[in-house]
Amino acid sequence: MTEPVCGVCGAPAKPAFRAPQPEIAPDLDMRPGEPARSTLRDWIQLCPRCGAAAPDLAALPAAARAVVESDDYRILGTSVLEETLPFRRWALICERTGDRAQQAEALLQAAWAADDAAAMTEPARLRTEVAALWDSTLDVELGLRRLDVLRRAGQFDAADAWAAAMSARGPDELARTIIAFQRARIASRDIGRHLISAALPPPAHAPHVSHGKRATTGFWSRLLRK
Ligand SMILES: [Zn+2]
């Protein structure tokens, strides 16, 4: 097996970090529970030679070099909250290499890092960017995460409108339950963090619950089995 090297400069790179399996339910925006949750800062590797940032430096495409060498990339180093910097750098590489989905995940991770740093305005600003990137998704899972992102950004009108739009698409029972939970939180102007388990009806808290009557996607039914 060959040692991993940075895809931009060829310097030796650490293998991608593998977070431990979560034992606690995730937040409604799918930030994983502990013990994975507190490993957030390890999710992005930084190349000590060229400054590239990515979950897996060895997987960086050649096109990332121009981004890493750009002024925009360098300026991030002095213009953003330090705790969010690795995620912002990775997000910029994703943006410039056309990976909008990964860009959104990277910016949401930056928001989590800003949450952990108890930053005042940065978390809401980053979540607003994530919500914009997900603004036309028809995917139920992403749509539910977008709802949480909008609420936690304090964009209550937009969150309520998004909840109505999702409801109009005829979501399954589980999605309806989460939308109803979010609408109640929106109505009380709550921007706080909530676990998915808090939004689910009591039977879902039981381990190994049989949910044969629930029509869910694989993603959410995996959560319910936790
Ligand atoms: Zn490098």
Side-chain angles (χ1 to χ4, degrees), residues 46-71:
L46 189 68
C47 177
R49 187 189 289 171
C50 72
D56 183 1
L57 290 170
L60 280 173
R65 176 187 290 271
V67 187
V68 171
E69 291 175 347
S70 69
D71 285 343

Side-chain angles (χ1 to χ4, degrees), residues 19-135:
Q21 273 300 107
E23 288 164 16
I24 308 289
D27 297 353
L28 282 160
D29 63 2
M30 292 308 297
R31 179 170 182 180
E34 295 291 7
R37 179 186 190 85
S38 57
T39 63
L40 178 65
R41 71 184 61 189
D42 298 320
W43 295 7
I44 303 290
Q45 315 268 5
L46 189 68
C47 177
R49 187 189 289 171
C50 72
D56 183 1
L57 290 170
L60 280 173
R65 176 187 290 271
V67 187
V68 171
E69 291 175 347
S70 69
D71 285 343
D72 288 347
Y73 193 86
R74 202 168 313 122
I75 286 165
L76 281 178
T78 53
S79 62
V80 304
L81 185 69
E82 191 184 343
E83 289 87 344
T84 67
L85 180 57
F87 306 99
R88 300 294 301 269
R89 283 178 159 159
W90 170 230
L92 187 63
I93 291 172
C94 295
E95 179 188 349
R96 299 288 162 83
T97 56
D99 191 342
R100 199 177 159 94
Q102 275 303 322
Q103 182 194 356
E105 297 293 342
L107 289 173
L108 184 56
Q109 289 166 14
W112 298 340
D115 289 340
D116 291 350
M120 294 297 289
T121 56
E122 197 77 0
R125 223 173 50 70
L126 287 161
R127 284 186 168 88
T128 301
E129 284 189 58
V130 174
L133 288 166
W134 285 343
D135 68 351

Side-chain angles (χ1 to χ4, degrees), residues 194-215:
H194 295 284
L195 301 183
I196 279 182
S197 51
L200 298 178
H205 293 296
H208 311 297
V209 64
S210 163
H211 51 275
K213 284 191 205 149
R214 278 175 211 281

